[in-house]
Every structure is written in C-alpha cells, then in structure tokens.
C-alpha cells in the first residue's frame, strides 16, 4: 500500500448536469486516507452521480476531481488496480460459481487477494460452489463486495452496499468493512441507513438537491446533536401554563405530543414532573430521547427544502 | 495473454453451464438440414465431367451461413445488451481488465463454438445425408467461416450500441438481420428476385458470407475455393463493425 500525504479523494467545485437538469451543483470535499466517508441524502440528491464520477464512470461537467492523485475518467490501469467498486445495481449474475467468479475477477488484478480469503471476508464460504444465478439477493450483494475487495484496493467505493440485507447480514458487513479500514483502506459509501453511517463513518456529508448541506467529522456532527428531546401528552391548559408562566419552549404536534428541546435534562425533567404533580396532570407517554444522527439528517434536509440552501 | 486465456476459459465454462442454450445452438442447424432435405429432396447430382454429390451437400453452406449469423451476430448482440442492462459490463469496466481482452475473449469463444458447430453439422450431414466434405477447399472453408464469425461478432457488438435496452433487443436484432437473410442467396436463389433487390442484398455482408461459403463448400470446386472479392467485402464490413463498436459501445446501462 502506497503512502500518500494528501487527501485520498479530493473534490473541488464539482458540477454535473444532465441536459438542463443539474444533478450535482458545485460541491467540494476531501476524504483523508484511512477515513470512512459516508454520503447521506434523499433519493435523487446526487449521491450516486457524485460517487460514479469518482469511480470514473461519469464525466464531470466542471470542477476538479482527484482520487489517489488520478483523474478517474482517464481509466488508467494503475488507478483501477487500487480501487474497488460496489455499484448500486448488483452486477455479477453468471452461470459461474461464486468461487469461479472471484477467481475470474482476481485474474484482472496484478496483485489480488486469494479467493479463499475473500470468501471468508464476505462470509460466502458455504456458497463457494453455488452458481451465482442461484444464490440469494443478499448473497449476490456480498459477492459484489467480494469482487470489489479482490484487488486489495486502497479505496473502496460502496454505493448503498447493504440495501436488501437482513439485520444480521448488515451487521456482519459493517464489521467486515470496519476491519478493512483497520488495514488502512479508505472507504467512501452512500447509504440510506443512519445506523450504517453511525457505525462505519468517521466523517459524514449530507447531500440535498445536488449540494452538500452539512459535512464534517462524525464527532462534530454528534456534538451538534448534544441535548435531548423531551416529549409527553398533557392537557392544553397544562401546556399553556408551561409556555406562559414557565417560559417552556414547546412544540405542539398534531399527534397531541408536546415536544421540547433540552440541554439540561435533569433540571427540565425535575421542573416538568414537579409541576405536573402539583397540577395533578398525568404526563402520559413521557419520553426522553437523545438527538440522533437521524434527527440531524431530517432537520438538515427539511431546513434545506424550506430555505433552498444549506444551513 | 494469461488474462485473455482465463477470460476465455470462464466464458466457455459459462456457456456450457447453460445446457439448454448450448444444445439448441447446435441443434438449430441440424433442424434446418433436416427441413431442407425433406422439402427439396436429397437426390444425387452428376456433372457432365462425371462428378457427383448428394443435394444435401449444397444445403450445407446456406445452413452454415445462417448458423454463423445466428451464433455470432444475433446471440452476441442480445447477450451483450443483457450483460449491459444487468450491470455486469459496468462491473467489469471498473476493474483493470483492458476492455479489448474482454471483447476478444467473447469473439474467440464464438469462433470456438462456431467451429464446433460446423464440425457437428458436417459430421451429422456426412452420416445421415452422405454430404461431401471439403478437401481441396478445406482451408478456404475454414478461413471463410472464421472470418464470417469475426465479422458478424463485430457487427453484433456495433448493433448493441443501437439497442436501448434488452427488452428491445430481440425485435431490433431480428429486424436488422432477417430481411438480409432472405435477400442474400440463403433461403431463396437470388436470380428469382428483381435486380434491384439482388443489388441491395449484394451490398450487405450476409450475401458475401453466403457466397464465400457456397464456393468453399462446393464439391465440384477444382480450385482452392477462396472467393477473394467476397472475403474482402466481408472484411470491410468487419472493419466498419469494429469501428462503430469501438466508438459507440456503452459499458453502462442506457436509461
């Protein structure tokens, strides 16, 4: 594995249009070697377009893109040797067995992992002699990951790698990808699963309508999420009292839930429950939740669709 | 070289793993041989110089031309469209494998299948219908057949670039080839057709393949049996097909 000093992936002012439709509108980011960068966003946000430009499948309309120091669109063999790709669409669907398919793809690389090692990495040892056409969708997806790993890549691109997995298989794939990063592999993935990004990513970008609405190391995003959300059902009178007499900042939901953001949970809860007891109000469905990546995600996307620009 | 061999080996393995498709590839020309001899008869023909051959011998080149077009052009265009739609070509394109090796392997595989097919047709024809095998024209027969397979593979790849998706593949491929088969001296002798139609037929590669094979498999042929002008025309079409394929071929699914 070559040591590179700069970013493994560098994107500057990337734009991509299909006719009049702008799929990617001026985005910039870096992914450092060994990092796991997760790109989140609603369908149609431009995640796949972005990752496919980095993989060399699509040409940018403008902007600069560098992956391991290469311009991906030139399709240099030296570049391909070091990049593993899992496409959104499952590819291999052959009459070959799982083992033969991995052998075949392994033969494309000068320096490949052994088929046995890859079978173990993706947990397909028991299916090695099965014909690819006849294995399950989840197993085919794992084979795709195996194909991406066989060339010992320095960078792994994963476009929604675990869509369609059962929870256990998903967890196993995360462990596998996590282990790869321990070997120094840089990973860029797109996903719809917040837990996936939370488990795997060291940094996260949220993409909305072709722009990056929020980006940063995972810890920074999570520190933004410090604080909790308290929600409960109470009478309208009680809610009004909280708002007017005690300056609680409440959001009244259509489902009858009152919600408040809290940075001092102990104090807020104490006050709330004391008042409720005094007023003999039954706080049904009282919940305290930490704000999760999902909350941040939804806020970011909603904020974007309201204002039409990143926060 | 080792990568090409590996790819060839696996393409070949895949082919035989789908026995239904493999068997019908080889049964197809035998059915035609049976139908032709049943309809047109299998009488012995004798030339004024005293040479003779069964009629079935004269059906062979037409059947082989049809099979070559079927094996290379039709099946390759459809197969590549399916592989493209399914994302397999895209996956391969993401690896360091030079794409020319991937294509070369497919063409080599078709040459291999084509030669097996010719051997089966000739063996079957020899045993059942007493077909005369080429002797002095054997090199011409072999080279014409291989050139035909390579040319029609290139044309199949070129055609793939005009097919938007695999659902449209059968319709487009058949529409592009069936009319040509009828105006290229394969099913019907062209002297029965109007001149302008024969002329149109003679512009296209099926006609040249058919004539190269007719001479190369002619049991009364005294010379080597090479139809140089037809082979040259066939090569020309192969070059056109290759250029179009290289320029337009798409590795990622069309929307």
């Amino acid at each position: 594995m070559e040591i590179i000093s700069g970013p493994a992936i560098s994107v500057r002012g990337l734009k991509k249009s299909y006719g009049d439709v702008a799929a990617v509108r001026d985005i910039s980011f870096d992914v450092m070697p060994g990092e796991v960068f997760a790109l989140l966003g609603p369908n149609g946000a431009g995640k796949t377009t972005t990752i496919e430009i980095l993989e060399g499948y699509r040409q940018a309309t403008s902007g600069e893109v560098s992956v391991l120091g290469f311009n991906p669109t030139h399709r240099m063999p030296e570049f391909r040797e070091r990049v593993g790709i899992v496409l959104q669409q499952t590819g291999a669907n052959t009459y070959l067995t799982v083992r033969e398919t991995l052998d075949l793809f392994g033969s494309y690389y000068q320096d490949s992992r052994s088929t046995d090692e890859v079978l173990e990495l993706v947990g397909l040892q028991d299916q090695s002699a099965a014909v690819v056409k006849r294995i399950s969708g989840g197993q085919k997806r794992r084979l795709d990951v195996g194909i991406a790993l066989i060339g010992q890549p320095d960078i792994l691109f994963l476009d929604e790698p675990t869509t369609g997995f059962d929870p256990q298989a998903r967890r196993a794939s995360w462990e596998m990808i996590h282990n790869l990063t321990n070997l120094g592999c840089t990973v860029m993935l797109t996903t719809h699963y917040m837990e996936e990004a939370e488990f795997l990513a060291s940094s996260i970008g949220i993409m909305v309508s072709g722009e990056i609405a929020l980006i940063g190391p995972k810890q920074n995003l999570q520190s933004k999420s410090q604080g909790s959300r308290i929600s409960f059902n109470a009478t309208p009178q009680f809610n009004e009292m909280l708002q007017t007499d005690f300056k609680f900042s409440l959001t009244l939901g259509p489902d009858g839930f009152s919600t408040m953001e809290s940075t001092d949970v102990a104090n807020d809860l104490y006050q709330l429950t004391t008042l409720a007891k005094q007023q003999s109000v039954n706080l049904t469905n009282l919940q305290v939740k930490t704000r999760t990546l999902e909350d941040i995600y939804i806020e970011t996307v909603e904020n974007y669709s309201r204002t039409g620009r990143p926060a | 070289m080792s990568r090409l061999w590996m790819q060839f080996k696996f393409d070949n393995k895949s082919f035989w793993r789908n026995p239904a498709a493999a068997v019908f590839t080889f049964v197809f020309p035998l059915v035609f041989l049976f139908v032709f001899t049943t309809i047109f008869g299998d009488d012995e023909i004798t030339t004024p110089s005293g040479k003779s051959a069964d009629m079935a011998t004269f059906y062979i080149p037409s059947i082989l031309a049809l099979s070559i077009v079927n094996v290379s052009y039709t099946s390759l265009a459809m197969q590549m469209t399916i592989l493209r739609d399914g994302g397999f070509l895209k996956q391969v394109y993401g690896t360091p494998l030079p794409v020319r090796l991937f294509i070369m392997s497919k063409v080599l595989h078709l040459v291999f299948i084509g030669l097996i097919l010719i051997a089966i047709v000739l063996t079957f024809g020899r045993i059942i219908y007493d077909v005369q095998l080429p002797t002095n024209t054997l090199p011409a027969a072999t080279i014409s057949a291989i050139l035909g397979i390579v040319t029609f593979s290139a044309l199949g790849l070129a055609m793939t670039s005009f097919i938007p998706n695999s659902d449209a593949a059968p319709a487009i491929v058949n529409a592009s080839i069936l009319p040509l088969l009828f105006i290229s001296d394969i099913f019907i002798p062209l002297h029965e057709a109007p001149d302008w139609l024969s002329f149109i037929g003679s512009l296209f590669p099926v006609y040249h393949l058919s004539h190269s094979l007719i001479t190369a498999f002619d049991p009364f042929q005294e010379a080597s049996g090479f139809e140089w002008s037809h082979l040259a025309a066939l090569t020309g079409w192969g070059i056109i097909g290759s250029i179009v394929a290289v320029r337009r071929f798409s590795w990622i699914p069309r929307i």
Side-chain angles (χ1 to χ4, degrees):
Chain A
M1 193 164 292
E2 274 176 58
I3 306 296
I4 41 172
S5 47
I9 300 173
S10 170
V11 175
R12 289 288 169 275
L14 175 65
K15 290 182 188 171
K16 174 73 182 176
S17 306
Y18 299 105
D20 291 339
V21 183
V24 176
R25 300 189 286 177
D26 195 359
I27 63 170
S28 301
F29 61 87
D30 286 331
V31 181
M32 299 309 285
E35 232 183 350
V36 180
F37 177 63
L39 198 55
L40 306 175
N43 286 322
K47 304 187 299 292
T48 294
T49 298
T50 304
I51 206 168
E52 289 196 344
I53 289 170
L54 297 173
E55 290 162 349
Y57 285 114
R58 296 177 191 277
Q59 199 141 17
T61 305
S62 67
E64 276 171 39
V65 167
S66 155
V67 178
L68 297 167
F70 292 93
N71 179 341
T73 43
H74 294 165
R75 204 178 180 275
M76 305 288 285
E78 299 84 351
F79 169 69
R80 291 277 172 226
E81 287 282 346
R82 296 173 57 195
V83 172
I85 296 171
V86 176
L87 298 164
Q88 196 173 91
Q89 185 185 17
T90 300
N93 193 21
T94 62
Y95 287 97
L96 300 173
T97 66
V98 169
R99 174 179 293 280
E100 287 164 348
T101 304
L102 288 170
D103 283 343
L104 177 64
F105 275 89
S107 76
Y108 297 167
Y109 295 85
Q110 288 184 352
D111 184 21
S112 62
R113 282 195 168 86
S114 79
T115 298
D116 283 309
E117 189 190 340
V118 172
L119 283 171
E120 202 185 316
L121 271 170
V122 297
L124 284 175
Q125 301 100 314
D126 295 342
Q127 284 75 35
S128 68
V131 167
V132 175
K133 283 233 180 228
R134 304 204 177 96
I135 61 177
S136 75
Q139 289 166 342
K140 277 186 190 145
R141 201 67 189 139
R142 274 189 270 165
L143 177 62
D144 283 334
V145 177
I147 289 171
L149 290 179
I150 198 132
Q152 311 221 39
D154 293 338
I155 290 195
L156 189 58
F157 288 107
L158 304 162
D159 199 357
E160 298 184 12
T162 63
T163 301
F165 279 29
D166 60 61
Q168 203 187 353
R170 177 168 304 133
R171 178 64 64 155
S173 306
W174 293 351
E175 301 284 355
M176 180 195 85
I177 295 165
H178 186 72
N179 291 340
L180 287 169
T181 59
N182 288 344
L183 299 172
C185 189
T186 309
V187 179
M188 172 163 173
L189 72 131
T190 71
T191 182
H192 284 298
Y193 299 109
M194 297 301 138
E195 318 93 280
E196 187 157 288
E198 244 164 355
F199 187 97
L200 287 173
S202 48
S203 58
I204 288 171
I206 298 176
M207 205 168 171
V208 193
S209 304
E211 287 184 275
I212 290 189
L214 190 66
I215 191 165
K218 189 171 62 177
Q219 295 93 323
N220 292 12
L221 293 191
Q222 277 172 337
S223 67
K224 280 196 176 189
S225 74
Q226 262 174 13
S228 303
R229 177 171 288 172
I230 301 173
S231 61
F232 52 87
N233 279 134
T235 59
Q237 295 87 340
F238 184 67
N239 283 339
E240 203 178 318
M241 187 189 80
L242 289 177
Q243 285 174 306
T244 48
D245 301 346
F246 296 92
K247 306 294 173 214
F248 271 56
S249 168
L250 285 188
T251 314
L252 303 177
D255 49 0
F257 265 99
S258 311
T259 311
M260 58 181 279
E261 306 298 331
S262 166
T263 44
D264 187 354
V265 180
N267 194 38
D268 289 343
L269 263 188
Y270 177 75
Q271 222 180 335
L272 179 68
T273 47
T274 313
L275 285 168
K277 198 160 184 302
Q278 283 168 6
Q279 304 291 320
S280 301
V281 170
N282 188 7
L283 290 176
T284 47
N285 298 317
L286 176 65
Q287 287 181 338
V288 182
K289 273 191 186 162
T290 343
R291 283 172 78 234
T292 58
L293 183 59
E294 185 155 348
D295 295 322
I296 299 171
Y297 171 81
I298 288 170
E299 277 164 30
T300 308
V301 173
E302 280 175 354
N303 183 51
Y304 185 94
S305 20
R306 218 173 29 246
T307 61
R309 59 191 159 74
Chain B
M1 189 61 209
S2 68
R3 288 196 286 191
L4 180 60
W5 171 241
M6 191 82 175
Q7 185 66 39
F8 175 77
K9 227 170 58 180
F10 281 96
D11 278 339
N12 195 38
K13 235 181 214 174
S14 289
F15 176 80
W16 298 103
R17 285 277 168 78
N18 187 2
V23 165
F24 279 96
T25 303
F26 299 119
V27 166
F28 174 78
L30 302 184
V31 169
F32 267 87
L33 188 56
F34 170 77
V35 170
F36 277 30
T37 49
T38 307
I39 296 175
F40 304 117
D42 190 18
D43 299 336
E44 196 173 71
I45 294 174
T46 310
T47 62
S49 57
K51 286 187 164 189
S52 67
D54 281 11
M55 279 289 280
T57 309
F58 299 93
Y59 307 146
I60 293 288
S62 295
I63 290 167
L64 291 183
L66 185 64
S67 307
I68 285 171
V69 168
N70 186 45
V71 159
S72 45
Y73 178 80
T74 309
S75 73
L76 190 60
M78 294 204 197
Q79 192 200 6
M80 292 304 258
T81 315
I82 292 168
L83 290 179
R84 186 185 68 198
D85 274 15
F88 186 69
L89 294 186
K90 192 172 176 181
Q91 199 169 30
V92 171
Y93 198 68
T95 72
L97 181 76
V99 292
R100 62 175 189 282
L101 292 188
F102 185 81
I103 298 291
M104 273 165 72
S105 162
K106 294 267 178 251
V107 176
L108 271 181
H109 168 71
L110 293 179
V111 168
F112 178 65
I113 296 301
L115 292 178
I116 294 177
L117 185 143
I118 292 169
I120 289 176
V121 173
L122 291 179
T123 308
F124 183 85
R126 175 81 217 160
I127 294 168
I128 311 282
Y129 297 109
D130 209 16
V131 161
Q132 285 200 20
L133 305 182
T135 46
N136 54 318
T137 59
L138 187 63
T142 315
I143 287 171
S144 305
I146 292 177
L147 184 68
I149 295 169
V150 174
T151 293
F152 279 94
S153 300
L155 291 169
L157 291 168
M159 183 43 81
T160 311
S161 69
F162 295 98
I163 304 174
N165 55 64
S166 51
D167 291 331
I172 294 176
V173 171
N174 284 330
S176 67
I177 198 70
L178 282 181
L180 288 183
L181 291 172
F182 278 96
I183 58 170
S184 300
D185 270 347
I186 288 192
F187 299 123
I188 313 156
L190 262 186
H191 53 75
E192 288 175 16
D195 285 349
W196 61 269
L197 196 60
S198 317
F199 173 73
I200 292 174
S202 70
L203 295 177
F204 288 97
V206 185
Y207 175 86
H208 300 289
L209 173 65
S210 149
H211 278 274
S212 304
L213 294 174
I214 287 170
T215 307
F217 282 89
D218 180 358
F220 306 141
Q221 182 60 247
E222 309 267 318
S224 63
F226 281 103
E227 282 276 18
W228 293 114
S229 60
H230 289 300
L231 293 174
L234 207 50
T235 310
W237 271 102
I239 292 168
I240 293 172
S242 308
I243 292 171
V244 174
V246 167
R247 290 254 170 105
R248 288 183 46 97
F249 195 76
S250 161
W251 296 84
I252 61 178
R254 299 255 170 110
I255 302 161

